[in-house]
Amino acid sequence: MKKWLFTSESVTEGHPDKVADQISDAILDALLEQDSNSRAAVETLLATGAAVIAGEVTTRAYVDIPRVVRDTIVDIGYTRAKYGFDGETCAVFTSIEEQSPDIALGVNTSVEAKKQKKNAYDQIGAGDQGMMFGYATSETPEMMPLPIVLAHRLASALARVRKSKTVKGLRPDGKSQVTVQYEANRAIGVKTIVVSAQHDPALSLLDIENAVREHVIKPSIPEELMMNNVELYVNPTGRFVKGGPAADTGLTGRKIIVDTYGGWIPHGGGAFSGKDATKVDRSAHYMARYVAKNVVAAGLAERITLQLAYAIGVAHPVSFMIDTHGTEHVDPDKLQKTLTEMFDYRPAAIIDRLQLNRPVFKKTASYGHFGRTDYPFSWEKTDATTELKRAFNF
């Protein structure tokens, strides 16, 4: 019975990289509110006292980008320079260009459409090449790996107790990390917890340790999951006063493992935030998660990983792979064939099925894109289980 450890991390909404993600997605949402066909690839760079917004946008909308940036920063909690950032006084620089006409050639009219195919879903080609992964597991109710579920719980709890002032003196920046011990692919318990919380200099390390244990760790991780020899580290350097963009530059798309499965499965490398759904970096990841979750919810496998790959300007994926990790309850070859035929992985079909032309993306930009229970994201629905069960006479 092999024993092993696995670790995942999360970060709070005040972490500089996550602030950048939220700004990029807030701009995307503002565009989609006015023009659901907006195309966007918006990047944010944050440093001491400054936000730089750059990228490519094609839209009929008008958005006051500096106002969106400032409102997002203030909503997170950066309202004073001594916190590491101030949304009302920071400089905001913008450099937005129109989408490359060379890219638009393939996105607006796919290779299939140029060959006179009649299906409407053939019109839009993939916005880039790349490979995308989806995963689901019966290990948790969220159908996500346990380490990332617990890490997100800790990070979101840290923000919640700060905003509610349950713990006074906390500031927006923060991180969490959880190590789970497994035995023969079954979680035995939590081995190590790390929480780093930005704080007012008046708070002592003991004050922070006690507050985090009582109000963050205890409500977030069930006692029965705690191993007898669990190691707890709270602000292990001893001090975390300087935080946010003043301490660490923030950049869109730098927390892709936090955004997905905590490193449990491979990642194609593409980031999500700031990109509209014609970019398969985003939409195909959502579709792969949707299909994987429905497979597990239907009882066809206990775990499944999907990989999709695309060529720029081509609507249909160039490859499709599944791996049930030996947990399948049906013939895996038939499962692959069924998933290929039952679901449409062309970008236009994904956008239609998952309704990805709506302004829902800012909510995804902190605490993970998958396994969320606080908002009804379309890719988290299990509305295809009946059709899947019927295909296998379940």
Side-chain angles (χ1 to χ4, degrees):
M1 299 283 284
K2 183 182 177 183
K3 292 183 180 180
W4 47 282
L5 301 173
F6 194 89
T7 301
S8 292
E9 72 158 349
S10 183
V11 297
T12 67
E13 62 208 63
H15 184 281
D17 293 330
K18 275 289 142 210
V19 178
D21 284 342
Q22 289 167 87
I23 290 171
S24 293
D25 272 338
I27 294 169
L28 173 62
D29 279 357
L31 293 167
L32 291 172
E33 282 176 5
Q34 298 178 47
D35 179 5
S36 62
N37 293 315
S38 294
R39 304 276 171 79
V42 179
E43 311 290 345
T44 301
L45 168 70
L46 302 173
T48 304
V52 180
I53 315 301
E56 297 77 45
V57 171
T58 299
T59 185
R60 296 191 305 269
Y62 170 76
V63 173
D64 184 350
I65 290 178
R67 188 71 263 161
V68 172
V69 172
R70 295 185 189 284
D71 288 348
T72 303
I73 295 168
V74 168
D75 184 60
I76 290 167
Y78 284 115
T79 56
R80 302 182 69 181
K82 70 177 185 178
Y83 294 169
F85 217 46
D86 181 356
E88 291 297 347
T89 62
C90 69
V92 179
F93 305 95
T94 62
S95 178
I96 301 293
E97 303 289 342
E98 190 176 6
Q99 183 184 39
S100 164
D102 295 342
I103 294 175
L105 280 174
V107 176
N108 296 340
T109 308
S110 72
V111 168
E112 291 90 335
K114 289 169 185 171
K115 293 178 180 177
Q116 306 301 314
K117 291 198 174 182
K118 302 295 185 183
N119 193 305
Y121 288 153
D122 280 327
Q123 183 64 39
I124 296 177
D128 202 351
Q129 69 177 48
M131 54 279 192
M132 298 80 201
F133 291 88
Y135 180 77
T137 173
S138 60
E139 180 180 15
T140 63
E142 297 88 349
M143 298 188 194
M144 291 284 286
L146 182 61
I148 191 65
V149 168
L150 298 180
H152 283 324
R153 284 186 194 172
L154 291 172
S156 57
L158 198 56
R160 187 170 59 252
V161 299
R162 169 180 62 86
K163 289 186 166 182
S164 67
K165 296 190 173 155
T166 301
V167 178
K168 295 180 180 178
L170 292 182
R171 292 178 177 173
D173 202 351
K175 286 186 173 184
S176 66
Q177 185 173 285
V178 176
T179 301
V180 174
Q181 181 164 315
Y182 286 82
E183 184 173 327
N185 292 321
R186 185 175 68 88
I188 301 300
V190 174
K191 176 70 173 173
T192 308
I193 297 170
V194 182
V195 177
S196 296
Q198 186 190 9
H199 61 90
D200 186 289
L203 285 178
S204 70
L205 180 58
L206 183 59
D207 290 335
I208 299 164
E209 284 181 345
N210 290 338
V212 168
R213 286 172 184 263
E214 183 64 25
H215 298 290
V216 176
I217 296 175
K218 191 173 178 181
S220 300
I221 301 184
E223 189 175 349
E224 61 270 20
L225 281 179
M226 293 285 214
M227 299 183 71
N228 292 332
N229 58 342
V230 63
E231 299 175 273
L232 301 178
Y233 297 98
V234 177
N235 284 9
T237 66
R239 178 181 168 88
F240 186 9
V241 172
K242 188 173 183 178
D248 188 12
T249 302
L251 192 63
T252 299
R254 203 155 54 181
K255 285 291 177 284
I256 56 176
I257 298 302
V258 172
D259 285 342
T260 53
Y261 304 97
W264 191 270
I265 64 166
H267 195 293
F272 299 165
S273 291
K275 297 177 181 177
D276 73 273
T278 64
K279 280 73 171 173
V280 284
D281 279 341
R282 181 165 222 157
S283 54
H285 269 110
Y286 290 171
M287 188 64 182
R289 163 64 177 174
Y290 171 75
V291 173
K293 188 173 183 182
N294 275 273
V295 168
V296 172
L300 306 183
E302 299 302 315
R303 291 188 288 138
I304 186 170
T305 301
L306 281 75
Q307 188 208 50
L308 293 161
Y310 292 82
I312 188 168
V314 181
H316 289 81
V318 298
S319 74
F320 177 80
M321 179 278 295
I322 70 167
D323 181 0
T324 52
H325 309 281
T327 69
E328 69 277 358
H329 300 299
V330 296
D331 177 56
D333 291 332
K334 182 180 178 182
L335 180 59
Q336 170 135 348
K337 185 173 185 293
T338 300
L339 299 183
T340 303
E341 295 173 350
M342 187 177 293
F343 299 98
D344 195 329
Y345 303 95
R346 290 173 291 181
I350 295 172
I351 291 168
D352 187 31
R353 180 160 195 154
L354 300 183
Q355 299 178 292
L356 298 181
N357 55 359
R358 299 174 299 137
V360 299
F361 297 111
K362 184 185 174 187
K363 295 179 186 297
T364 68
S366 49
Y367 314 117
H369 292 243
F370 307 127
R372 299 281 291 276
T373 58
D374 58 332
Y375 191 83
F377 294 121
S378 57
W379 52 91
E380 290 296 314
K381 291 181 179 179
T382 53
D383 54 359
T385 54
T386 300
E387 189 178 4
L388 282 167
K389 287 179 179 179
R390 189 183 301 121
F392 289 91
N393 297 318
F394 259 50

